[in-house]
Amino acid sequence: SYLGLAPPWETEPAQGAAGEKALLLDGGLAEAHLSLALVMAYHERRWADAEAAYRRGLELDPNYATGHHWYAFFLMTLGRYDEALDERRRALEIDPLTPMLSVGLAELHNAMRRPDLALDAVKRTLERHPRFWMARHARGQALEQLGRHHEALQEFVEAERAAPDSVTVLSSVVGALAATGQARE
């Protein structure tokens, strides 16, 4: 649901049930704590419980890059940008090659209104994975902030080619069309 490919009311029950079952089988699974943290935060809005679950998961496996990535997104959601930046850097330090981690850093820079740093964050990812739609989307958002609307539209169209069912991408294409004076399109 985070990617806009399925509604949250369809994904949350299965995600929550899987996390609960995993914890019943092994309470020491970092991934289970972190998956439940996502449910608590974004489906149930239980922010304090979610933060405790994120911290517990990362305590169990401090070298789980995806866990740092998810926790950073949580911190960004709460507007705790400096802490989120530390988590993003930690995730990339652990795993510099996973493309989603650099996209997460770009998204954070976009949220912090640092589009130049966002462009830097996705540059290498796009060189290695030119069709990775989330990187294209993050680059488009940075270009929008810089007022480079035509270039942003090109990035969003490329993202849409790779992820035609994403509501997030489609809404960005529509916004960029309007920003470039192509409202009729």
Side-chain angles (χ1 to χ4, degrees), residues 164-182:
D165 296 327
S166 172
V167 175
T168 302
V169 173
L170 183 59
S171 66
S172 295
V173 170
V174 169
L177 285 167
T180 58
Q182 301 175 64

Side-chain angles (χ1 to χ4, degrees), residues 7-90:
W9 54 87
E10 289 180 8
T11 60
E12 186 276 327
Q15 182 180 356
E20 291 290 344
K21 184 173 182 178
L23 282 182
L24 284 174
L25 295 171
D26 183 350
L29 290 174
E31 294 89 344
H33 287 278
L34 291 157
S35 291
L36 285 174
L38 289 168
V39 171
M40 287 181 226
Y42 299 106
H43 296 286
E44 299 172 358
R45 306 294 192 254
R46 293 171 36 209
W47 305 108
D49 292 337
E51 183 155 14
Y54 282 116
R55 289 179 180 268
R56 178 66 180 138
L58 291 172
E59 177 183 295
L60 290 167
D61 187 354
N63 292 315
Y64 183 40
T66 299
H68 289 281
H69 167 73
W70 290 345
Y71 186 40
F73 185 77
F74 171 79
L75 294 167
M76 183 179 83
T77 300
L78 298 180
R80 293 163 54 186
Y81 296 133
D82 291 336
E83 293 171 81
L85 195 53
D86 289 342
E87 292 297 322
R88 290 271 173 230
R89 288 181 177 141
R90 179 69 181 126

Side-chain angles (χ1 to χ4, degrees), residues 76 81-82 84-85 106-115 145:
M76 183 179 83
Y81 296 133
D82 291 336
L85 195 53
E107 290 173 341
L108 177 58
H109 285 306
N110 279 331
M112 297 172 78
R113 300 290 185 213
R114 297 177 177 172
Q145 285 188 35

Side-chain angles (χ1 to χ4, degrees), residues 104-153:
L105 180 60
E107 290 173 341
L108 177 58
H109 285 306
N110 279 331
M112 297 172 78
R113 300 290 185 213
R114 297 177 177 172
D116 291 326
L117 294 176
L119 291 174
D120 289 343
V122 294
K123 182 178 179 183
R124 278 184 296 159
T125 296
L126 285 170
E127 288 169 358
R128 284 180 281 177
H129 309 280
R131 292 193 35 84
F132 185 41
W133 73 269
M134 292 188 80
R136 292 273 173 209
H137 189 260
R139 187 169 194 280
Q141 289 176 315
L143 291 167
E144 274 187 325
Q145 285 188 35
L146 292 168
R148 295 163 53 185
H149 299 291
H150 289 280
E151 292 173 79
L153 175 59

